[in-house]
Amino acid sequence: MTGPILTPLEFREAPEGAEAAAIAFRARMRTRRSVRDFSDRPVSRETIEALVGAAASAPSGANKQPWRFVAVSDAALKREIRLAAEQEERLFYEKRASAEWLRDLAPLGTDPSKPFLETAPWIIVLFKCMRDDRPDRTSDLVYYANESVGIAAGFLIAAIHHAGLATLTHTPSPMAFLQKVLRRPEHERAFLLLPVGYPAADAKVPVIVRKPLEDVLVFDRPE
Ligand code: IYR
């Protein structure tokens, strides 16, 4: 058993103060929208590397980092993914989805057609590792893998927005085909698919309302 090796924390306060920094970040984050209409304008591989580097800095259970990011730009591979995803989506919209689910989705205007899987210059598929596969692992186990990968996904979405790019949290259901198409090992389970690119010049988004703060934030506890 190896104990911790400790180092002094490198910490930097926001020069403008925590409150001003938090308010500015809120303003920036509130301009983020899920985008379904993408331009084919290229995004560099270095950009993708930086975005994934930011996402992979997320905290994780026992620092197991149970994620794999597969970045796809190859046109033939994107087409393969689109065709497989649309096949699942057609079944979803025609058979699998409940009436309530379809009613909940109606305001978003989604349907089985997913052209963004080919138009966007990149697709990042985020996989959850069901076991630790690092050569220097102290055990095979991972902990809080859903939470860990979910946090990494949040970091990735924020990084993409910060870079002035657009994305969409796309979850073709079921997603098992991604493991096959991308030739990932058994212990990697597809978690989320994110097209990354610039929005199309004429991109439209549904009008949505975000819950007011008083509906999402509670201080202390009810009397
Ligand atoms: N996966 C389908 C359906 C869908 C489900 C949810 I929950 C959404 O928020 C949006 C869509 C699709 O991508 O169309």
Side-chain angles (χ1 to χ4, degrees), residues 13 16 22 27 36-37 67 70 105 118 159 162 184 202 209:
E13 280 191 27
E16 70 274 44
R36 292 182 170 81
D37 304 326
W67 42 63
V70 178
L105 286 180
E118 279 192 272
H162 177 72
R184 301 313 308 167
D202 59 351
V209 179

Side-chain angles (χ1 to χ4, degrees), residues 36 89 92-93 101 105 108 110-111 114 170-173:
R36 292 182 170 81
E89 295 294 355
F92 172 82
Y93 282 94
W101 198 341
L105 286 180
L108 301 180
T110 55
D111 62 35
K114 305 296 173 195
H170 180 47
T171 49
S173 157

Side-chain angles (χ1 to χ4, degrees), residues 45-163:
R45 183 186 174 105
E46 289 70 22
T47 306
I48 298 300
E49 288 172 353
L51 295 171
V52 171
S57 74
S60 64
N63 189 35
K64 289 282 187 163
Q65 305 166 60
W67 42 63
R68 186 90 61 221
F69 300 83
V70 178
V72 178
S73 64
D74 179 80
L77 190 48
K78 285 194 294 178
R79 178 154 191 79
E80 215 178 304
I81 292 171
R82 175 185 178 180
L83 294 178
E86 287 183 336
Q87 199 172 321
E88 296 293 1
E89 295 294 355
R90 274 192 298 276
L91 286 171
F92 172 82
Y93 282 94
E94 284 162 19
K95 292 202 177 73
R96 294 184 186 134
S98 64
E100 290 97 324
W101 198 341
L102 292 177
R103 207 182 316 131
D104 284 336
L105 286 180
L108 301 180
T110 55
D111 62 35
S113 160
K114 305 296 173 195
F116 56 78
L117 293 174
E118 279 192 272
T119 324
W122 291 94
I123 298 174
I124 299 178
V125 185
L126 176 44
F127 287 85
K128 171 176 70 171
C129 300
M130 306 300 288
R131 61 176 173 76
D132 192 348
D133 56 9
R134 293 172 300 183
D136 61 345
R137 63 189 176 273
T138 43
S139 89
D140 283 353
L141 300 182
V142 294
Y143 310 94
Y144 302 101
N146 284 319
E147 291 82 348
S148 303
V149 182
I151 296 166
F155 275 36
L156 181 58
I157 293 161
I160 291 167
H161 182 62
H162 177 72

